[in-house]
């Protein structure tokens, strides 16, 4: 962990502990609402039979410890039937005591036995009862654990990517982000469909259920602290409303939106999108390219599909490449990005690379290169 991350981690820990001890009415309401709409990634679950066997083993262990304690101090107990206490009597006393039956035919009479009942057997009785009602307690514990996970996630999440719409476009966008090295913990999904949210959770992603055109839904996804937003709903008018809402909440994030029709592109850009991708026209151009030249189309498809053969990668210029032209680089450079602007092909090909420049290169995936 870096030094600058340690204070943030300590703040998150203090926030979680404070939320477990005391919360204001507003915080409790926000956490309850977040628990209903935010789905955390699925974790491993112990099968029910294993849970029952585990609890049974723990109950038997508590019973044996109680029997041993009573038998060791058997001189401090009296049996109304014969006055003495053997191992069977100790087991009988431990059983009726832990189950809170308490017939009263065996009683502690010595001071040590009574102190042991107060400070040892009574806590064991409570533990035994907790094990017996473990299912109910587990539900409460799981609910608390879920609230802690959501609270910790909300406190830590920043500079992340929000993907609105987990359909075909959104799912492939996430796959590409992960292939480019973006961690799953830095991606948040927003969708109105419960099945899409469940699918995102199965894929190891945090997902928020709700209408992305509403500010409160995007705030649950911490969009106001995100650096990138991908908007890929099913309808163009929805994409426009979501873009307006997202830009209102976050003035600095890079917003990329997908629409079906070219005529809606200017409207999306006016709404605040930095880049608009038209799915229908892109598909049409690819179809036309396939008809004109199938090899060119397959090459384009390889470039657009990360890890399939050839990848378009944006990277920083290395120290050794500073002062060189793009032709002198080991990779095939197709564009140069300088001061957040892409130089045209002729200018970029002749330009000398400077510190801070970024280059867009064509390269093979690491696994393919190794083969």
């Amino acid at each position: 962990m870096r030094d600058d991350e340690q204070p943030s981690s300590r703040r998150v820990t203090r926030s979680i502990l404070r939320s477990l001890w005391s919360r204001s009415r507003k915080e409790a309401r926000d956490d309850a609402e977040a628990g209903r709409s935010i789905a955390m990634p699925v974790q491993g679950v112990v099968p029910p039979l294993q849970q029952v066997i585990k609890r049974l083993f723990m109950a038997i262990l508590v019973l044996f410890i109680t029997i041993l304690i009573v038998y060791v101090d058997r001189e401090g107990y009296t049996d109304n039937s014969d006055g003495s206490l053997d191992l069977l009597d100790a087991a009988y006393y431990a059983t009726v005591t832990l189950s809170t039956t308490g017939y009263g035919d065996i009683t502690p009479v010595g001071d040590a036995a009574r102190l042991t009942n107060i400070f040892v057997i009574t806590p064991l009785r409570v533990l035994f009862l907790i094990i017996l009602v473990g299912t109910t307690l587990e539900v409460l514990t799981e609910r608390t654990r879920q609230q802690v996970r959501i609270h910790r996630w909300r406190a830590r999440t920043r500079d992340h990517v929000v993907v609105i719409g987990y359909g075909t476009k959104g799912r492939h966008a996430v796959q590409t982000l992960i292939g480019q090295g973006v961690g799953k913990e830095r991606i948040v999904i927003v969708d109105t469909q419960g099945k899409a949210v469940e699918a995102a959770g199965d894929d190891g992603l945090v997902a928020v259920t709700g209408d992305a055109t509403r500010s409160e839904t995007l705030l649950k996804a911490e969009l106001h602290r995100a650096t990138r937003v991908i908007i890929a709903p099913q309808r163009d008018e929805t994409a426009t409303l979501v873009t307006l809402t997202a830009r209102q909440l976050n003035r600095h994030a890079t917003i990329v939106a997908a629409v079906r029709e070219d005529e809606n592109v200017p409207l999306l850009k006016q709404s605040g999108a930095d880049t608009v991708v038209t799915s229908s026209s892109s598909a049409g151009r690819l179809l036309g390219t396939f008809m004109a030249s199938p090899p060119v189309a397959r090459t384009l498809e390889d470039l657009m599909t990360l890890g399939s053969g050839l990848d378009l990668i944006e990277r920083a210029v290395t120290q050794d490449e500073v002062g060189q032209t793009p032709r002198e680089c080991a990779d095939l450079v197709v564009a140069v990005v300088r001061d957040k602007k892409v130089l045209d092909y002729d200018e970029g090909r002749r330009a000398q690379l400077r510190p801070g420049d970024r280059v867009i290169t064509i390269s093979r995936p690491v696994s393919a290169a190794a083969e």
Side-chain angles (χ1 to χ4, degrees):
M1 182 181 293
R2 300 194 304 268
D3 293 340
D4 57 348
E5 292 180 348
Q6 293 178 356
S8 177
S9 299
R10 286 195 292 267
R11 286 195 299 270
V12 171
T13 303
R14 287 196 297 268
S15 176
I16 293 172
L17 294 176
R18 185 183 63 81
S19 69
L20 291 175
W21 178 257
S22 65
R23 287 183 295 177
S24 66
R25 184 171 300 178
K26 181 179 182 302
E27 290 173 334
R29 185 170 57 250
D30 290 344
D31 286 345
E33 180 63 25
R36 287 190 292 267
S37 56
I38 298 177
M40 303 299 292
V42 178
Q43 293 183 328
V45 179
V46 180
L49 183 59
Q50 292 186 20
Q51 295 183 30
V52 172
I53 294 175
K54 180 181 178 180
R55 290 174 187 160
L56 180 61
F57 176 79
M58 293 173 62
I60 294 175
L61 179 62
V62 171
L63 178 60
F64 273 112
I65 292 174
T66 307
I67 293 173
L68 179 62
I69 292 173
V70 174
Y71 184 72
V72 169
D73 194 26
R74 58 187 177 278
E75 298 299 331
Y77 294 82
T78 181
D79 187 348
N80 295 332
S81 61
D82 57 11
S84 62
L85 206 72
D86 56 14
L87 182 59
L88 179 59
D89 294 331
Y92 167 76
Y93 175 79
T95 303
V96 298
T97 300
L98 291 180
S99 62
T100 68
T101 304
Y103 293 113
D105 48 351
I106 299 177
T107 57
V109 294
D111 292 341
R114 291 180 175 180
L115 289 172
T116 301
N117 268 264
I118 294 173
F119 295 109
V120 179
I121 295 181
T122 297
L124 288 175
R125 182 187 301 118
V126 175
L127 178 60
F128 189 81
L129 293 175
I130 289 175
I131 295 172
L132 291 180
V133 296
T135 302
T136 303
L137 290 174
E138 184 180 358
V139 171
L140 296 176
T141 303
E142 179 61 28
R143 187 175 301 171
T144 302
R145 186 185 302 117
Q146 183 73 359
Q147 288 183 354
V148 170
R149 289 184 66 199
I150 292 175
H151 190 89
R152 182 172 62 239
W153 172 81
R154 296 179 69 185
R156 290 181 174 179
T157 301
R158 52 178 45 84
D159 298 334
H160 56 293
V161 184
V162 177
V163 180
I164 299 170
Y166 202 59
T168 302
K169 291 178 288 187
R171 193 174 292 110
H172 282 82
V174 169
Q175 292 175 358
T176 302
L177 288 172
I178 295 173
Q180 292 177 343
V182 178
K184 290 184 177 181
E185 69 281 358
R186 295 186 56 215
I187 301 175
V188 182
I189 306 298
V190 179
D191 203 295
T192 57
Q193 302 295 324
K195 291 184 178 180
V197 171
E198 291 179 5
D202 293 339
D203 293 337
L205 304 169
V206 176
V208 177
T209 306
D211 183 2
T213 62
R214 302 177 64 88
S215 299
E216 54 265 30
T217 301
L218 298 183
L219 288 174
K220 292 173 186 175
E222 303 295 326
L223 185 139
H224 55 290
R225 298 193 296 187
T227 55
R228 287 173 285 180
V229 180
I230 296 176
I231 300 175
Q234 299 296 326
R235 301 171 63 88
D236 288 5
E237 55 267 29
T238 303
T240 304
L241 292 174
V242 173
T243 302
L244 282 168
T245 308
R247 182 54 74 195
Q248 182 182 15
L249 293 175
N250 193 325
R251 298 290 182 183
H252 306 289
T254 300
I255 298 179
V256 178
V259 293
R260 294 179 180 272
E261 304 298 334
D262 286 331
E263 61 185 15
N264 295 319
V265 172
L267 182 60
L268 264 293
K269 290 189 175 181
Q270 291 177 6
S271 301
D274 297 287
T275 303
V276 181
V277 178
T278 310
S279 57
S280 58
S281 60
S282 298
R285 285 191 291 268
L286 191 59
L287 288 172
T289 305
F290 261 112
M291 292 300 297
S293 176
V296 172
R298 280 193 290 269
T299 302
L300 286 174
E301 191 173 10
D302 284 345
L303 291 174
M304 291 186 295
T305 307
L306 196 67
S308 63
L310 296 174
D311 290 341
L312 274 174
I313 303 295
E314 180 186 346
R315 63 171 178 83
V317 172
T318 63
Q319 189 64 34
D320 295 336
E321 293 172 338
V322 174
Q324 297 181 350
T325 63
R327 286 184 173 182
E328 298 174 303
C329 296
D331 297 334
L332 177 59
V333 178
V334 296
V336 177
V337 182
R338 178 171 295 166
D339 299 328
K340 298 184 179 181
K341 294 182 179 180
V342 180
L343 304 182
D344 62 50
Y345 181 76
D346 290 333
E347 183 181 2
R349 185 178 56 176
R350 296 191 302 267
Q352 289 186 336
L353 298 177
R354 305 174 184 173
D357 286 350
R358 300 183 66 84
V359 290
I360 300 175
T361 67
I362 297 178
S363 61
R364 299 179 62 192
V366 176
S367 58
E371 295 176 359

